[in-house]
Amino acid sequence: MFLAGLLALSSAVMYGFSHVFTRKSLAYVNAATATQFALVVNALLLWALSLSLVSEQVSYSPGVWVFVADGAIVGTLARLFLYIGFDRVGVARAAPVSASTPFFAVFFAVIFLHEVLTLPILVGTVGIVFGIFVLSYGEAHKDWRRRDLLFPLASAVIWGVASNARKWGFSLGVEPLFGSAVASVTSAVIFPLFCLLKREWNFKLTRSAIPFLVPAGILNGCALVLVFYALKFGSVVLVSPLASSYPLFSVGLAFLFIPGMERVTSRVVAGMILIIIGAGLVLSGQTILDFLKQILS
């Protein structure tokens, strides 16, 4: 379980670096172009790794459809709902709502996968989610309707369900690297169809953005693989909160590498501290539980 926790935290670090490169690329391209490019890089990278490292496990299995659905729904529909939320209620309101993903992941894991939720993990999850809320909260300078909060909430529910579905897919015998490759190529194919719904989500790739988009895509793909392996080796109640701590690294790395992008305010510091404490509780809580089981057995 400790290995799963480290893999989940490592994925958060990878996502953090990926977001820094993505932010740099947005000076040259729009969000739809950055997303599509990252999905294509993911697909190429993960299929290359799958065919070279686990070629004997690249075969049909009923569990493959779990990852086809993952790519079609999580990589596209959840992102689309979040974008709509950003547009209708502003990032300041949509981001904290979408940050509730670990709550849904843990809830579904306890109900459907019968995973054990310890007090340290529960408190740590609350700390991580509240820390993300503090980090992402700000002024939203636009009119909005309360019902429009359903869009970022829907994205959070989808991501929460996805963690449980992936865990189930691995139990059906799908190798994580192969599963991540299937999900990535499905997202890369379907995402452009969703972008047709909004005219401004057109694809305009510029040469200046490529030095940032390539590493962003590679890091994003590596983060996805780490999350998948974390879910294979560990429980959803452990992995989901830790993997969701990526805003800590996104903000911290942006402050270090993109001058002027992030300011270290008391709010930012408080959010980071909450996430760090929460992550420590989640990781130590599961480790303590395993230790006690070994003693009692």
Side-chain angles (χ1 to χ4, degrees):
M1 286 296 185
F2 188 75
L3 173 61
L6 290 180
L7 289 173
L9 281 175
S10 298
S11 74
V13 175
M14 290 283 188
Y15 277 128
F17 275 106
S18 175
H19 293 165
V20 169
F21 281 108
T22 300
R23 288 189 185 189
K24 292 286 286 184
S25 73
L26 292 177
Y28 309 100
V29 295
N30 58 26
T33 301
T35 300
Q36 182 61 48
F37 194 94
L39 290 174
V40 171
V41 172
N42 282 358
L44 294 174
L45 171 69
L46 298 180
W47 270 108
L49 291 174
S50 295
L51 293 174
S52 60
L53 299 178
V54 293
S55 57
E56 70 282 359
Q57 298 188 46
V58 176
S59 60
Y60 175 77
S61 164
V64 168
W65 290 104
V66 173
F67 298 96
V68 172
D70 182 286
I73 297 174
V74 180
T76 53
L77 191 59
R79 184 177 283 111
L80 177 66
F81 283 157
L82 186 60
Y83 284 177
I84 294 174
F86 287 164
D87 179 54
R88 295 194 180 186
V89 304
V91 175
R93 291 190 175 96
V97 174
S98 67
S100 62
T101 293
F103 280 136
F104 293 106
V106 169
F107 173 78
F108 292 126
V110 172
I111 298 298
F112 296 108
L113 299 180
H114 307 292
E115 294 188 355
V116 177
L117 179 62
T118 64
L119 182 60
I121 291 179
L122 176 60
V123 175
T125 300
V126 172
I128 290 172
V129 172
F130 190 65
I132 296 172
F133 176 88
V134 172
L135 274 180
S136 56
Y137 183 78
E139 294 296 327
H141 303 288
K142 62 181 296 182
D143 295 328
W144 60 286
R145 298 172 297 180
R146 292 186 183 277
R147 66 184 183 185
D148 288 334
L149 289 173
L150 292 175
F151 288 104
L153 183 62
S155 70
V157 173
I158 291 173
W159 278 315
V161 172
S163 296
N164 292 269
R166 291 164 177 171
K167 182 73 174 178
W168 178 51
F170 299 139
S171 71
L172 297 176
V174 177
E175 207 281 333
L177 189 55
F178 178 47
S180 63
V182 171
S184 293
V185 74
T186 305
S187 295
V189 171
I190 293 181
F191 183 73
L193 301 179
F194 282 93
C195 289
L196 294 176
L197 300 175
K198 206 166 181 63
R199 183 174 297 177
E200 56 265 34
W201 291 350
N202 55 339
F203 301 106
K204 291 183 178 180
L205 182 63
T206 63
R207 184 175 300 178
S208 301
I210 293 178
F212 303 110
L213 290 174
V214 171
I218 293 173
L219 288 164
N220 194 79
C222 292
L224 183 63
V225 173
L226 289 173
V227 169
F228 277 28
Y229 274 103
L231 286 170
K232 178 180 180 179
F233 297 132
S235 62
V236 174
V237 297
L238 169 70
V239 172
S240 181
L242 294 176
S244 298
S245 66
Y246 63 84
L248 166 67
F249 303 101
S250 298
V251 173
L253 292 169
F255 171 75
L256 291 175
F257 297 108
I258 309 179
M261 178 65 72
E262 296 290 344
R263 293 185 301 110
V264 177
T265 64
S266 57
R267 173 179 59 81
V268 171
V269 173
M272 288 182 169
I273 291 174
L274 283 169
I275 294 175
I276 291 171
I277 294 174
L281 283 170
V282 171
L283 189 57
S284 65
Q286 189 67 46
T287 305
I288 291 172
L289 179 63
D290 292 338
F291 179 70
L292 292 175
K293 284 182 178 179
Q294 291 177 1
I295 294 177
L296 297 174
S297 62

